[in-house]
Amino acid sequence: MTMAQPVPALAAGEPTPYSYAQDATTVDGSTGTTQAVRLTPGRTYRSAIGPGEKLYYRLDLDAVASAYVSGTAVPAAGASVVSSDGLRVSIEDVDAHRCSYGNARFGPTRSAHPVTAWASREIGADEYMCQAAGAYYLVVERVGPSTSSGASSGLSSGGSSGASGTSGTSAGGSSGAGGRASGQEWGLELGYAWEPAVKKGGSRVAPETWNSASPEPLRGDPERRRGGSGFASAGPLAQGIWQDETGIKAGETRYYKVPVDWGQQLHATAELGSTTGGEGYVGNALVMSLYNPARGLVDDALVNYGGEQRSAALDPLPPVAYDNRYSLDDEVSGMRFAGWYYLAVHLGSAVAERFGEKPIGLTLRIRLSGRAGAGPGYLGPAEPRGAFEVTDQDREAAETGTGTGTGDTLEGDGEAGSSGGEESAGASGGSTISGDRRLAMTAVAAGGIGTGSLLVLTLVLWTLVARRRAAAERPAAPSGGGRASRRGRHGSSRGR
């Protein structure tokens, strides 16, 4: 379970800062591949990136699981950005062949806020490239006309750059920027997930039609629910009408999450309430972005604001299906996993100039249609565990707003407090499979044992795993502080 660090008290009118995962491991990006720190699947990491920087992190991949990595850029509140500024995330092999890449830009709101891009190494996506086991590199870079201003790392190629602190330590918390002195630096949160292989015999053809009709509108009084300030603290929502407890301030981003199972369709609308506290008109004032369980951008919706109530609705999306990944349409291919889907709602900072800094009412209307079905038949566990499934615990968390469910976000596995080890710069090779996962695989591999004995052995092993994780946990250290062309296999370069 990933927890978000409590947010410190804010001055009146100040937007809530981004809330990093409390157990995120702080790592330094390298300016070259030689000293790139190795990341572990299922974990969340915190780093930082300066203007004009291009940073490397190492991924040790097998030839079976698909890997998904996301990068969330977190500029300081009030930072100066233009619509084309943003972040590029890519995965490359040791011969600099790009497996895939994704861009995220601040877009028409022209407002500094967290934006997330993703990239992948997908098994079976290419017959020749990026299929072998071995070392790969996550490449994260600032893009846009503002990237070169003030850039000075003072480091030679292959040196370390990025967040303050020692690589491999835990440093969660809420912040707009990282640890270096430059006010133009952006904080960076990295997510890393593995998707196991599936049983043979899939169609490998994306569905071409689905029910795209608008659903029946929801009726009734809204229930109150508080949105979070990051992926780790996203407020869980079920089907229904939900009113944010505090509303949303100009320059602020509120995060919510909805469990969407295989075969289900998600419909989401965000309504910004009316206000009499100002006058004028703000174009592209609010954006609602949808991210899948790997934090990949699926779709977004924009709306203008002139003091009267306005709503932004996502385009009709297909039911969640494994074969959606074979589509060339971003909105379809993004709906490839079951699990928690994230809604990030941002109100542009320009709204404060016209309508003041007080929160404005925010209501979300969530509908799930279709019957939940069976998954694709994964041959092993995902990392993090439960990331690509929906459990009864998830549904309960969405209904009650309490708890976080299982596999709800990329997480530290209870070892985030360790220093050195797998995340230390220049770490030696070896398997990236955690000891917990090896224990589970050992149990499954015991094919010669009877069914009853195997079940008992599996339960004993999982009990040991739980105890090991509990013993390893320790508190996180406080910390300071319009669409473009196709973007690799993940679709358009977007971001608002």
Side-chain angles (χ1 to χ4, degrees), residues 210-212 264-267 290 298-299 314-319 331-332 335:
W210 64 86
N211 182 9
S212 59
Q264 291 188 311
Q265 277 182 286
L266 172 65
H267 308 269
L290 175 67
V298 177
D299 194 17
L314 297 175
D315 291 337
L317 299 167
E331 291 80 5
V332 177
M335 303 297 293

Side-chain angles (χ1 to χ4, degrees), residues 18-234:
Y18 186 80
S19 180
Y20 294 91
Q22 183 176 348
D23 50 8
T25 301
T26 297
V27 294
D28 291 342
S30 172
T31 56
T33 58
T34 304
Q35 300 298 325
V37 62
R38 176 156 57 101
L39 306 184
T40 301
R43 301 280 285 269
T44 305
Y45 294 87
R46 182 172 177 178
S47 192
I49 186 167
E53 283 193 322
K54 183 176 183 179
L55 304 178
Y56 294 85
Y57 308 82
R58 195 173 99 233
L59 313 173
D60 286 353
L61 306 182
D62 61 22
V64 179
S66 293
Y68 298 89
V69 186
S70 65
T72 300
V74 187
S80 177
V81 299
V82 298
S83 60
S84 55
D85 283 340
L87 195 73
R88 175 174 295 143
V89 174
S90 58
I91 295 178
E92 298 178 356
D93 67 13
V94 292
D95 292 312
H97 297 137
R98 182 181 286 173
C99 305
S100 76
Y101 70 97
N103 295 328
R105 303 183 189 271
F106 298 111
T109 62
R110 298 183 298 278
S111 175
H113 65 284
V115 293
T116 303
W118 71 321
S120 66
R121 192 291 302 261
E122 297 180 51
I123 293 297
D126 190 300
E127 186 176 353
Y128 303 104
M129 290 198 311
C130 301
Q131 300 298 293
Y136 290 78
Y137 296 97
L138 166 64
V139 186
V140 182
E141 52 191 312
R142 294 259 296 254
V143 295
S146 301
T147 57
S148 59
S149 62
S152 59
S153 63
L155 296 170
S156 60
S157 178
S160 180
S161 173
S164 63
T166 303
S167 174
T169 62
S170 175
S174 303
S175 175
R180 290 179 290 182
S182 171
Q184 296 184 12
E185 182 186 69
W186 295 348
L188 190 62
E189 186 171 67
L190 304 174
Y192 180 17
W194 269 15
E195 182 189 30
V198 297
K199 297 176 183 178
K200 301 291 184 181
S203 68
R204 298 182 65 85
V205 176
E208 297 182 356
T209 60
W210 64 86
N211 182 9
S212 59
S214 298
E216 285 290 322
L218 295 168
R219 295 180 173 84
D221 295 329
E223 297 183 56
R224 293 172 66 81
R225 188 68 57 86
R226 187 181 183 88
S229 51
F231 285 100
S233 61

Side-chain angles (χ1 to χ4, degrees), residues 256-269:
Y256 311 86
K257 60 184 181 182
V258 183
V260 188
D261 213 340
W262 300 105
Q264 291 188 311
Q265 277 182 286
L266 172 65
H267 308 269
T269 301

Side-chain angles (χ1 to χ4, degrees), residues 231-286:
F231 285 100
S233 61
L237 303 178
Q239 176 169 296
I241 305 174
W242 306 97
Q243 186 179 95
D244 194 280
E245 290 181 351
T246 61
I248 186 169
K249 301 175 185 176
E252 195 168 58
T253 304
R254 307 298 285 168
Y255 285 79
Y256 311 86
K257 60 184 181 182
V258 183
V260 188
D261 213 340
W262 300 105
Q264 291 188 311
Q265 277 182 286
L266 172 65
H267 308 269
T269 301
E271 179 183 313
L272 190 61
S274 60
T275 180
T276 57
E279 60 181 7
Y281 184 81
V282 180
N284 301 311
L286 180 139

